[in-house]
Amino acid sequence: MSAVIFGCGGSGSDEDKASLEKTTELKTEHVAEPDCTDTATELAGCWASECEVVNDDDQTSLIYGRSVIAFADNGQLREYLQAFDNANCVSPALHTTQLLTDTTYGLAPRVDGEDVANIDGHIEFDLQNRPLPEDFPEGAESIVRTPYDITAEGALCLDTDRVSYDGMGGGFVLTGAPSDGIDYENCLERLEP
């Protein structure tokens, strides 16, 4: 069983995932900036996706965006979308929107003897309180697991076949198969305070 859950945005042109995608409307709130305080020691601060064009309908005024997440020390995942008028997402943002998803997470250490050397630990996202697609099977597991690695450069890298963030929001894939490993092409960068 697998399902793709997106908070905002879409899955691009990947036809396998697109056929399963059901974008769910989320409650949002405008905030001054992401809350990067009181976060888990292992994943301290905020983490941002690459800056990318999110609206090019009007060629005279491009809007760039990124996702920002923070792992609050109370187990809540904080998720934000930011819009900018520059291609490097240099502050100040035009606006910052918090996605009120009620997604929680848990951290688990690396498993010696099982995990490959580059895995620092595992993140388990619980989506049971997040708005799920209407066709999500009742009683199905709503947990997404991914290994993570914090690189020498300080980037947070995940299995993006399971959990991914871009300028349009986050995506989660629920599946019973084990993780395929960590993607080092689409890592999240730590935001400097």
Side-chain angles (χ1 to χ4, degrees):
M1 198 291 294
S2 74
V4 178
I5 314 278
F6 280 88
C8 282
S11 62
S13 62
D14 184 346
E15 290 187 29
D16 271 351
K17 290 183 182 179
S19 66
L20 297 171
E21 176 191 339
K22 291 285 185 182
T23 302
T24 305
E25 192 82 23
L26 295 175
K27 292 180 182 176
T28 62
E29 175 179 270
H30 287 288
V31 295
E33 59 187 34
D35 181 359
C36 302
T37 63
D38 301 321
T39 55
T41 305
E42 301 89 333
L43 299 170
C46 282
W47 303 88
S49 67
E50 286 186 23
C51 189
E52 58 188 299
V53 174
V54 294
N55 177 6
D56 61 0
D57 294 339
D58 176 4
Q59 293 299 319
T60 60
S61 147
L62 293 177
I63 301 295
Y64 300 87
R66 69 181 179 196
S67 290
V68 177
I69 62 172
F71 298 90
D73 58 12
N74 67 359
Q76 285 290 128
L77 179 68
R78 299 181 196 138
E79 298 177 84
Y80 305 89
L81 292 175
Q82 290 189 297
F84 296 86
D85 60 3
N86 62 79
N88 295 318
C89 291
V90 175
S91 293
L94 295 172
H95 59 84
T96 300
T97 302
Q98 183 172 8
L99 306 177
L100 304 173
T101 65
D102 289 327
T103 300
T104 57
Y105 75 92
L107 297 177
R110 65 180 300 347
V111 180
D112 289 329
E114 288 183 31
D115 287 332
V116 293
N118 63 321
I119 293 177
D120 288 337
H122 300 266
I123 306 171
E124 190 171 278
F125 296 92
D126 188 342
L127 309 178
Q128 72 178 345
N129 295 322
R130 188 182 192 100
L132 298 172
E134 289 178 19
D135 63 349
F136 188 76
E138 192 170 324
E141 183 178 32
S142 59
I143 303 292
V144 177
R145 295 172 186 86
T146 178
Y148 74 88
D149 179 29
I150 298 178
T151 67
E153 295 78 27
L156 173 61
C157 303
L158 309 169
D159 176 354
T160 56
D161 287 336
R162 294 292 183 81
V163 178
S164 62
Y165 283 93
D166 60 26
M168 298 294 288
F172 297 88
V173 177
L174 299 168
T175 180
S179 172
D180 292 331
I182 294 174
D183 173 12
Y184 288 94
E185 296 296 316
N186 297 296
C187 299
L188 302 172
E189 300 294 327
R190 189 186 311 263
L191 285 184
E192 296 303 321

